[in-house]
Amino acid sequence: EAGVVQSPRYKIIEKKQPVAFWCNPISGHNTLYWYRQNLGQGPELLIRYENEEAVDDSQLPKDRFSAERLKGVDSTLKIQPAELGDSAVYLCASSPGEGWEQYFGPGTRLTVT
Amino acid sequence: GQNIDQPTEMTATEGAIVQINCTYQTSGFNGLFWYQQHAGEAPTFLSYNVLDGLEEKGRFSSFLSRSKGYSYLLLKELQMKDSASYLCASSQLASGGSYIPTFGRGTSLIVHP
């Protein structure tokens, strides 16, 4: 069974440019998470989806970040415009439901110059 | 992550036993996860404790005390490949009525010969 797929794996952009990340969760997993992880830190939850509904998005900087999960499967996370402080690894994870163990994708390493 | 406390770094010798401690906020607590994360890779699930006590899974065991807000991960017969960051994550009830995973910053374990 395929795991969580993310693309791109690496992205380098200049500040003020837009960027988007894509995630395909494990088939049948209703819950999808987007995390941001800075070096030496644990993952920080940005947003959680239950099917196509966004819940727990209190940590998402809504002035520049947006996310969607159309049809309750794939999801995209967008930053516009990017700032230097957005440099981090963006992890997508899925689970069969709320409170279950999470399966993480390989992440997208974003560098903003 | 806020309210999760675990040591930043630990070192141990190959073949030895190491215990990684984690304390968390007990308010709204549902369960405690442990994940392993090798450098440059995504976290992988190790264990999930909901009830008090010790759960053993091969060389790894995890313990939980709900009343004390305390957990530990025990690694036996250490191998070089166990060098990684170990993330403690609590599942806690959020204001919206759902359970949100909160990660600690991780404990970097270095296993030396």
Side-chain angles (χ1 to χ4, degrees):
Chain A
E1 181 180 339
V4 176
V5 179
Q6 287 187 250
S7 68
R9 292 294 311 278
Y10 304 91
K11 189 74 177 179
I12 301 174
I13 61 171
E14 294 184 347
K15 62 182 180 181
K16 300 184 181 180
Q17 294 301 306
V19 65
F21 314 124
W22 176 80
C23 173
N24 179 244
I26 292 174
S27 177
H29 281 194
N30 297 324
T31 308
L32 184 146
Y33 307 79
W34 281 104
Y35 289 92
R36 176 171 59 192
Q37 186 174 26
N38 291 302
L39 190 64
Q41 303 290 321
E44 173 194 4
L45 180 67
L46 293 175
I47 190 169
R48 177 172 72 91
Y49 280 92
E50 289 294 336
N51 297 303
E52 65 274 9
E53 182 181 358
V55 296
D56 303 322
D57 62 351
S58 60
Q59 300 300 316
L60 190 72
K62 298 181 182 61
D63 57 333
R64 297 184 300 108
F65 286 63
S66 64
E68 61 181 11
R69 191 184 184 195
L70 300 176
K71 300 181 181 179
V73 182
D74 293 2
S75 177
T76 57
L77 178 69
K78 299 178 181 178
I79 308 175
Q80 182 171 10
E83 297 179 352
L84 294 176
D86 296 331
S87 294
V89 175
Y90 290 83
L91 293 164
C92 177
S94 70
S95 67
E98 175 188 343
W100 290 67
E101 69 268 23
Q102 298 169 60
Y103 297 82
F104 285 83
T108 297
R109 182 175 296 278
L110 174 67
T111 301
V112 182
T113 62
Chain B
Q2 59 183 7
N3 305 321
I4 304 285
D5 190 31
Q6 55 181 129
T8 302
E9 186 175 295
M10 299 182 70
T11 59
T13 305
E14 192 175 15
I17 299 173
V18 70
Q19 177 175 312
I20 302 174
N21 298 323
C22 171
T23 58
Y24 61 87
Q25 188 178 60
T26 57
S27 174
F29 175 77
N30 183 55
L32 197 290
F33 295 91
W34 283 97
Y35 289 83
Q36 179 191 60
Q37 186 175 27
H38 284 101
E41 298 182 11
T44 56
F45 170 77
L46 290 177
S47 65
Y48 180 47
N49 293 67
V50 177
L51 302 176
D52 286 354
L54 184 69
E55 293 202 9
E56 299 183 69
K57 192 184 297 185
R59 294 189 299 113
F60 292 8
S61 301
S62 56
F63 172 84
L64 179 67
S65 169
R66 295 179 68 102
S67 62
K68 296 181 179 179
Y70 169 69
S71 173
Y72 67 73
L73 181 69
L74 191 71
L75 292 77
K76 305 176 184 177
E77 302 170 14
L78 280 173
Q79 302 175 9
M80 299 296 288
K81 67 178 182 179
D82 296 330
S83 294
S85 180
Y86 291 85
L87 299 162
C88 173
S90 70
S91 177
Q92 301 196 242
L93 191 63
S95 57
S98 61
Y99 288 96
I100 296 179
T102 302
F103 283 82
R105 61 187 302 158
T107 298
S108 178
L109 174 65
I110 301 169
V111 180
H112 55 83

